[in-house]
Amino acid sequence: MPLRQHCLFAFISSLLLIGLITVGLEATPPVTATAISPDGKAILSVSQSGLKKMTWPTLTHQQTYPIPTANLNSIAFSPNGSALLLAGGNPADTAFIGIYSWPELKPLHQIEQPGDSILTATWLSNLTFVTGSLDNKLMIWNAESGQSLQTLSGHSRGITSLRYLARQNLLVSGGLDNSIRVWSLSDNRLLRSLTQHTHPVTCIAECPSEEGLPLIATAAEDRTVRFWQPTIGRMMRFIRLPARPLAIVWVNETILVATCNNGMLYTVDTLNVEVVKSTATLPKWVYALTYDRPRGLFALAGSDGKLSVQNLSTFSNTDK
């Protein structure tokens, strides 16, 4: 398989496992997603090993919870912090959704059904959430009943990333079809398709500003990070990075950081669209990047199965 095809699916843990088996290596499964607990005392990560809980930011292992699916790709706390959403499944076979109470981590709903692996999921409210899968399905669910409410059609290939804009009640999705789609959740209607990316979209992040029109950033395999006003469908500016961005996070209204497949973290001035700092992170690809804004710390995790805590201002790091 050509290298570029591998890159398109690098964030899918199931394909990574296939690669490890092929070369006969015994390795720690890649960490595909992380989330810091609402009280800021724990960090949770998902991989083919299941769900791991560690103290934050000291990264002391507390417990690993087995999950009844081979692959987990997404993790998110509900807005009120009382529930945890996990999503994954097996490519071309099954989709998995798990809803667990927090902090007890008792299963509330576990849904496994024929379909394709879910790559991304996010909460819309304490009662509803949305998932995006490899078979192009964008589905809204009821968290209390575990029933699907609506399917949104528009992407022609798998959905890799989601972002809910709560103030505007809009959903933004990105996919392997190189497109960004903006949906009105007031009437579940596709408002517009943004097609300037030339390769699959890997992630979406929202600017933390609470004034004016919302601003989002999208990253893709074309090595660009593009900045949009999704409510009007306008691309404001873009930057091309030295390598393919795998995860992006806004630090504030003018600073964004991106981890790339060359093991580097780039700090981007979003107004002047230029890289102002770069630093080495983990020795391999970083798929998960979570920002603890009150502490000014980043959690990084990726293909080597390790978590790293990094303070951007000092570039200091600890690994566990």
Side-chain angles (χ1 to χ4, degrees):
M1 181 181 291
L3 177 61
R4 184 176 177 279
Q5 286 179 271
H6 279 293
C7 294
L8 294 181
F9 299 96
F11 46 84
I12 306 172
S13 56
S14 58
L15 298 188
L16 288 167
L17 178 60
I18 292 171
L20 293 174
I21 292 173
T22 300
V23 297
L25 297 178
E26 292 184 4
T28 303
V31 173
T32 51
T34 58
I36 297 172
S37 63
D39 62 5
K41 295 180 179 180
I43 184 167
L44 287 81
S45 64
V46 293
S47 71
Q48 290 161 346
S49 296
L51 173 68
K52 180 184 287 187
K53 180 184 177 185
M54 306 177 80
T55 60
W56 175 256
T58 53
L59 299 184
T60 301
H61 180 264
Q62 292 186 310
Q63 193 167 353
T64 297
Y65 302 84
I67 302 296
T69 187
N71 305 293
L72 290 172
N73 301 316
S74 183
I75 180 172
F77 282 97
S78 61
N80 64 7
S82 67
L84 185 70
L85 171 64
L86 304 179
N90 296 314
D93 185 12
T94 55
F96 172 81
I97 297 169
I99 305 172
Y100 301 82
S101 65
W102 179 260
E104 301 85 5
L105 283 174
K106 293 181 178 179
L108 302 176
H109 293 288
Q110 290 183 337
I111 304 163
E112 194 162 12
Q113 60 186 29
D116 216 331
S117 184
I118 296 172
L119 298 184
T120 180
T122 191
W123 293 89
L124 303 176
S125 70
N126 293 314
L127 300 178
T128 56
F129 62 91
V130 59
T131 60
S133 59
L134 267 173
D135 55 6
N136 316 346
K137 289 184 179 179
L138 192 59
M139 300 182 69
I140 299 174
W141 301 78
N142 182 293
E144 288 190 326
S145 66
Q147 299 297 311
S148 62
L149 302 176
Q150 184 80 31
T151 299
L152 307 179
S153 300
H155 284 281
S156 60
R157 296 183 65 192
I159 299 161
T160 62
S161 45
L162 294 168
R163 186 69 191 186
Y164 176 52
L165 307 181
R167 286 188 296 134
Q168 293 77 25
N169 199 26
L170 297 178
L171 179 68
V172 184
S173 59
L176 295 173
D177 57 4
N178 310 349
S179 76
I180 307 294
R181 312 274 176 160
V182 183
W183 311 81
S184 167
L185 295 186
S186 299
D187 51 11
N188 296 324
R189 179 170 56 93
L190 177 63
L191 294 180
R192 57 185 55 88
S193 299
L194 310 175
T195 58
Q196 280 86 339
H197 279 297
T198 58
H199 289 75
V201 177
T202 54
C203 44
I204 303 171
E206 181 185 5
C207 179
S209 174
E210 295 184 359
E211 298 180 357
L213 293 175
L215 181 66
I216 63 169
T218 61
E221 291 275 343
D222 57 15
R223 292 184 20 229
T224 66
V225 176
R226 298 176 186 265
F227 302 93
W228 313 80
Q229 289 178 335
T231 52
I232 58 176
R234 178 186 177 191
M235 188 179 76
M236 306 290 292
R237 45 197 175 269
F238 76 93
I239 184 172
R240 191 174 301 277
L241 298 177
R244 289 185 292 274
L246 302 175
I248 54 174
V249 167
W250 290 82
V251 175
N252 54 43
E253 295 181 29
T254 61
I255 296 295
L256 177 139
V257 298
T259 57
C260 294
N261 69 337
N262 61 353
M264 299 295 291
L265 184 149
Y266 296 100
T267 305
V268 176
D269 178 336
T270 63
L271 295 180
N272 298 309
V273 285
E274 61 180 358
V275 174
V276 294
K277 288 183 184 178
S278 60
T279 185
T281 58
L282 300 180
K284 298 183 179 181
W285 292 15
V286 176
Y287 303 120
L289 177 63
T290 303
Y291 184 48
D292 181 349
R293 187 165 280 106
R295 291 187 176 99
L297 297 176
F298 292 93
L300 303 93
S303 58
D304 63 356
K306 293 182 178 180
L307 269 69
S308 172
V309 180
Q310 189 162 45
N311 185 321
L312 190 63
S313 62
T314 61
F315 303 130
S316 63
N317 334 275
T318 58
D319 296 327
K320 290 288 180 71

